[in-house]
């Protein structure tokens, strides 16, 4: 921060209409210039207008000074967690994960078929779905493969940017279940997407009755194409791939379908050479988003800020360590703390300039405590690419640099 005193400020204002010029003989003199010349960069002296190329009132956009971007790859893109505030993710910054591109679907032609072990197979258009009573809830979505480590120059976006949060609106799947009539023997349903990968997942019927949503809106507007337009399944708290996008078919049955995504993919080691086929719930996790790479810090008071979440309930508590895990302090949780939702936490910390490590761990309403990387590997008996939720540590260097501490066994 730059200090300003009254004398300096008044002096600057008094000389604002005077400039230095050279005469024909090369002599420097003070001359008066139109005061408007000094207002060119003062927004209070210039009429406002729309951003270049966008008519007023047509499309909103961010300030050109804000450079928020997702980090893309061929199959996914990550939310810039370190640049966001609050608990909602702007729709255009919501992470993406697709298996064969984003389909272009005409909503007027799109239909959802529900069949199999039902009393009355039905086909619903988007207009049909919108005629049912709607529901909305704020909840996070996270890819089951949301973890990176291995080098110091990783940001929160790099490490776990495959999680985002929105307000989802649609019709409760339980409403549609009642409409078609689920037969007593139906225990599972297959959700199928309308993308080129024909994404399919087997889901226990009980989740459909509990809190599943057939969503057509996100953050107050229609779904974005990359988020499943015109309609997607949304399963609060469950791994992201089960919330099948571009939803076109639900088939009820008495057993899982054993599709590619639940045999060769999205399985995980659980130790002793065993593999677990279905792991739906997202475990509790947290990450400090400030201080974090690449933003440096200065000694003095620092507000440590971050996100915590759990797919099994609410975040009960977040603990923060500023001495490499030797001791822990309870952080303040920002209200509201919602079920299966991102929760903001904060802790005021005075940094004296010594090198140290800071980290956070979440405890959810079931009593589950976010583990260390080593604890996860020991429990599973080896490396696993899915459902990794370890404590993340940031190294604070004496010069103020903040670096990720790579995880090693």
């Amino acid at each position: 921060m730059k200090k300003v005193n009254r004398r300096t400020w008044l002096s600057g204002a008094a000389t604002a209409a005077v400039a230095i010029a050279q005469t024909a003989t090369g002599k420097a003199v003070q001359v008066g210039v139109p005061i408007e010349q000094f207002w060119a960069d003062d927004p209070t002296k210039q009429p406002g207008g729309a951003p270049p190329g966008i008519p007023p009132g047509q499309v909103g956009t961010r300030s050109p000074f804000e450079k928020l971007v997702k980090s893309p790859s061929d199959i996914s893109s990550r939310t810039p967690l370190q640049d966001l505030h609050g608990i909602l993710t702007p729709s255009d910054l919501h992470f993406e994960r697709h298996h064969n591109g984003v389909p272009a679907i005409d909503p007027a032609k799109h239909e959802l078929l529900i069949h199999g072990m039902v009393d009355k197979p039905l086909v619903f258009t988007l207009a049909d779905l919108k005629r049912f009573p709607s529901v909305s809830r704020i909840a996070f979505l996270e890819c089951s493969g949301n973890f990176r480590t291995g080098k110091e120059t990783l940001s929160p976006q790099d490490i776990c940017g495959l999680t985002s949060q929105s307000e989802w609106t649609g019709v409760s799947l339980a409403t549609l279940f009642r409409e078609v009539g689920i037969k007593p023997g139906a225990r599972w349903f297959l959700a199928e997407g309308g993308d080129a990968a024909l994404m399919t997942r087997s889901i226990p019927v009980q989740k459909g009755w509990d809190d599943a949503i057939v969503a057509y809106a996100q953050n107050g507007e229609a779904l974005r194409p990359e988020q499943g337009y015109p309609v997607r399944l949304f399963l609060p708290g469950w791994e992201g791939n089960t919330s099948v996008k571009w939803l076109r078919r639900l088939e009820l049955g008495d057993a899982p379908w054993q599709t590619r995504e639940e045999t060769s993919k999205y399985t995980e080691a659980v130790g002793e050479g065993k593999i677990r086929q279905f792991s739906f719930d997202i475990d509790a996790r947290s990450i400090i988003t400030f201080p974090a790479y690449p933003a440096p810090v200065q000694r003095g008071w620092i507000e440590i800020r971050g996100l915590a979440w759990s797919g099994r309930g609410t975040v009960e508590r977040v603990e923060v360590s500023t001495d490499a895990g030797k001791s822990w302090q309870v952080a303040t949780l920002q209200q509201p703390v919602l079920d299966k939702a991102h929760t903001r936490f904060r802790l005021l910390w005075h940094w004296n300039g010594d090198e140290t490590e800071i980290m956070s761990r979440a405890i959810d309403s079931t009593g589950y405590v976010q583990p260390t990387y080593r604890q996860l590997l020991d429990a599973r008996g080896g490396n696993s690419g899915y459902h990794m939720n370890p404590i993340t540590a940031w190294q604070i260097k004496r010069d103020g640099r903040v670096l990720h501490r790579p995880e090693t066994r």
Side-chain angles (χ1 to χ4, degrees):
M1 288 183 287
K2 184 169 64 177
K3 292 184 178 178
V4 177
N5 61 46
R6 179 176 172 80
R7 176 173 296 178
T8 303
W9 185 82
L10 290 174
S11 174
T15 59
V18 177
I20 303 299
Q22 281 191 328
T23 65
T25 60
K27 183 179 179 180
V29 298
Q30 288 187 334
V31 297
V33 295
I35 193 69
E36 290 80 4
Q37 180 175 326
F38 292 91
W39 294 348
D41 295 330
D42 185 348
T44 69
K45 308 302 181 187
Q46 301 292 336
I54 300 176
Q58 292 295 311
V59 179
T61 187
R62 296 188 179 89
S63 163
F65 299 102
E66 297 294 327
K67 306 297 183 185
L68 303 178
V69 293
K70 292 192 284 193
S71 57
S73 70
D74 291 340
I75 57 173
S76 66
S77 59
R78 293 168 174 265
T79 296
L81 300 177
Q82 68 279 356
D83 299 323
L84 300 182
H85 310 276
I87 59 173
L88 291 179
T89 307
S91 295
D92 64 333
L93 296 177
H94 195 289
F95 83 88
E96 294 177 40
R97 175 72 171 94
H98 27 78
H99 297 75
N100 200 356
V102 177
I105 297 178
D106 182 347
K109 299 177 181 176
H110 190 72
E111 295 177 335
L112 171 62
L113 165 66
I114 303 182
H115 67 126
M117 295 181 68
V118 300
D119 296 329
K120 185 174 56 176
L122 290 174
V123 173
F124 300 92
T125 66
L126 182 60
D128 292 334
L129 296 175
K130 291 182 176 179
R131 289 179 60 194
F132 287 102
S134 60
V135 294
S136 291
R137 72 172 294 173
I138 295 172
F140 76 89
L141 190 66
E142 182 177 17
C143 175
S144 60
N146 189 26
F147 175 65
R148 296 288 185 276
T149 189
K151 59 181 181 180
E152 293 182 322
T153 53
L154 292 179
S155 68
Q157 181 175 19
D158 300 320
I159 296 168
C160 63
L162 295 178
T163 185
S164 308
Q165 178 152 286
S166 296
E167 180 188 49
W168 305 94
T169 299
V171 55
S172 169
L173 182 53
T175 299
L176 301 182
F177 276 179
R178 284 190 286 271
E179 191 71 11
V180 298
I182 304 298
K183 291 185 180 298
R187 295 289 181 269
W188 293 76
F189 68 87
L190 183 75
E192 179 183 273
D195 57 332
L198 211 61
M199 179 70 178
T200 51
R201 285 304 312 265
S202 299
I203 309 295
V205 164
Q206 190 57 51
K207 184 65 173 175
W209 287 115
D210 288 346
D211 58 3
I213 298 173
V214 175
Y216 45 75
Q218 175 186 13
N219 292 335
E221 63 176 3
L223 294 173
R224 303 277 176 118
E226 61 272 19
Q227 298 302 331
Y229 181 84
V231 64
R232 73 175 298 166
L233 186 63
F234 180 69
L235 305 180
W238 282 24
E239 62 180 51
N241 65 78
T242 62
S243 290
V244 173
K245 296 187 284 190
W246 313 291
L247 185 66
R248 72 171 193 175
R249 187 167 73 92
L250 296 174
E251 181 179 356
L252 280 296
D254 57 3
W257 274 255
Q258 311 293 352
T259 68
R260 183 181 76 95
E261 308 299 343
E262 53 210 37
T263 52
S264 65
K265 304 292 184 183
Y266 300 122
T267 60
E268 64 187 79
V270 292
E272 300 179 347
K274 297 181 179 178
I275 300 294
R276 181 161 54 200
Q277 184 177 11
F278 293 106
S279 297
F280 294 124
D281 293 302
I282 292 290
D283 294 322
R285 188 175 186 180
S286 69
I287 186 168
I288 292 172
T289 55
F290 182 83
Y293 178 82
V297 294
Q298 296 179 328
R299 70 176 61 194
W301 288 104
I302 295 172
E303 185 182 68
I304 296 174
R305 301 187 287 266
L307 282 174
W309 61 96
S310 173
R312 292 192 171 87
T314 57
V315 173
E316 187 75 14
R317 187 169 77 253
V318 176
E319 298 175 340
V320 173
S321 175
T322 58
D323 56 6
K326 297 183 182 68
S327 64
W328 296 85
Q329 302 176 65
V330 178
T332 299
L333 302 184
Q334 175 183 299
Q335 299 296 324
V337 176
L338 302 174
D339 180 56
K340 302 179 179 67
H342 281 177
T343 300
R344 282 275 169 194
F345 65 87
R346 301 183 175 91
L347 180 75
L348 201 57
W349 172 52
H350 189 272
W351 180 46
N352 61 10
D354 290 343
E355 189 165 316
T356 189
E357 286 183 2
I358 62 173
M359 59 191 75
S360 63
R361 63 185 180 194
I363 298 93
D364 71 15
S365 51
T366 70
Y368 176 92
V369 181
Q370 184 182 358
T372 65
Y373 184 73
R374 182 183 298 272
Q375 288 172 328
L376 271 174
L377 295 190
D378 288 347
R380 297 178 182 178
N383 289 315
S384 173
Y386 295 110
H387 293 103
M388 294 296 289
N389 61 323
I391 292 171
T392 296
W394 299 102
Q395 308 167 79
I396 311 294
K397 301 295 186 181
R398 289 184 182 278
D399 60 6
R401 286 178 301 144
V402 183
L403 301 172
H404 170 55
R405 188 196 68 193
E407 300 292 353
T408 58
R409 189 172 174 81

